[in-house]
Amino acid sequence: MAGNWKMYKTPAETRAFFEAFRPLVQAASPCEIVICPPFPDLPAAVESARGTRVLVGAQNLYWAKEGAFTGEVSGPMIHATGATHVIIGHSERRQYFGETDETVLKKTVAALDASLTPIVCVGERLEHRESGQTEAVLCEQCQKGIAGLEAQQFAKIVIAYEPVWAIGTGKTATPEMAAEAHRMIRAEMRRHFGEKAAGEVRILYGGSVKPDNVKSLMAQPEIDGVLVGGASLDAVSFARIVSFPS
Ligand code: PGA
């Protein structure tokens, strides 16, 4: 269960979130919880999450370890903060910052080299879905962005299916639509990495996940977890999501 804070919250607001969130998740289901705040909040998040089941991730990285790349942050730098995960290829990065399947692959390899767990995002836009191209788009993103990994690298990644039309719009894919897309992604992974590895990779659903719809999404056997944007900013709402079975 991953929270993507996008460009929200300062370090002080991060600490306040954890103050409220910590007591709420103690009794939560034994799922893995990852919160991905903006870069400047990583130290505050790691410190606040210490001693809890909550892990911390970044939202992006650059593939070089260091160098003259003004404004960029590397995998080893993220790892040094105590963060364990990193989101890669989020649709907002693809849409506004020129991220491509090729850069997604490079960043995924860099994350693994830095001992970070990459959460690699794929997803179709509304025009793709409306013109019946969903499967073709997802397969292409998987082929170019993920299939280039070695088998032992693939075993360490998490995939997030995030239909672009459902992000921040309040339009959730129905559980059946999400499950169908997860099956497409898993089938494509099977072609590249075989039955066992494709069966084991975790695929999260993301796009307007809320406390009220998490249960029906998680009831789909194809959906292994969720990547939550807006509803992860509020401690009570994200706690309700991570403790969805109760
Ligand atoms: P949302 O964002 O939950 O606000 O739709 C999801 C995401 O972009 O990861």
Side-chain angles (χ1 to χ4, degrees):
M1 315 300 276
N4 170 14
W5 282 0
K6 309 193 179 186
M7 201 173 74
Y8 290 98
K9 293 195 194 293
T10 61
E13 288 165 344
T14 299
R15 285 190 206 94
F17 172 92
F18 275 90
E19 287 283 301
F21 187 62
R22 265 193 317 246
L24 300 176
V25 287
Q26 267 155 15
S29 65
C31 54
E32 261 180 57
I33 303 168
V34 185
I35 290 180
C36 303
F39 288 129
D41 300 335
L42 288 176
V46 167
E47 200 181 302
S48 304
R50 199 162 284 140
T52 73
R53 317 175 14 249
V54 184
L55 299 169
V56 175
Q59 300 171 15
N60 182 33
L61 83 171
Y62 189 65
W63 54 80
K65 288 195 176 70
E66 60 181 9
F69 302 107
T70 302
E72 295 295 323
V73 176
S74 74
M77 289 170 185
I78 294 167
H79 185 255
T81 67
T84 52
H85 289 65
V86 58
I87 298 171
I88 295 173
H90 189 278
S91 66
E92 285 151 17
R93 299 227 41 97
R94 293 178 188 256
Q95 203 175 336
Y96 307 130
F97 303 101
E99 198 106 334
T100 64
D101 295 326
E102 289 72 21
T103 63
V104 166
L105 180 59
K106 284 169 112 162
K107 290 182 176 195
T108 303
V109 170
L112 291 164
D113 285 347
S115 304
L116 296 168
T117 300
I119 302 174
V120 184
C121 304
V122 296
E124 82 286 0
R125 295 200 299 270
L126 186 59
E127 65 265 29
H128 297 139
R129 183 158 280 271
E130 287 178 345
S131 60
Q133 287 178 279
T134 299
E135 185 162 18
V137 167
L138 293 177
C139 287
E140 186 177 348
Q141 290 175 344
C142 288
Q143 278 161 20
K144 294 190 182 158
I146 302 176
L149 296 172
E150 319 246 324
Q152 89 273 10
Q153 292 174 319
F154 177 69
K156 293 187 186 144
I157 73 164
V158 175
I159 298 173
Y161 167 61
E162 296 214 312
V164 178
W165 49 270
I167 295 175
T169 58
K171 284 187 203 155
T172 325
T174 64
E176 293 72 25
M177 280 159 87
E180 186 190 31
H182 282 217
R183 278 194 294 277
M184 292 171 185
I185 294 166
R186 221 178 270 285
E188 184 59 27
M189 292 299 100
R190 199 174 295 125
R191 279 192 275 281
H192 297 283
F193 297 102
E195 186 75 39
K196 184 166 182 292
E200 283 170 0
V201 71
R202 282 175 294 173
I203 308 182
L204 315 182
Y205 167 77
S208 298
V209 176
K210 307 281 178 228
D212 296 340
N213 61 23
V214 65
K215 204 167 169 181
S216 58
L217 288 162
M218 290 302 293
Q220 297 288 328
E222 289 85 356
I223 300 180
D224 302 315
V226 287
L227 178 53
V228 187
S232 72
L233 290 166
D234 177 72
V236 173
S237 131
F238 194 48
R240 281 181 62 203
I241 289 176
V242 302
S243 39
F244 68 92
S246 51

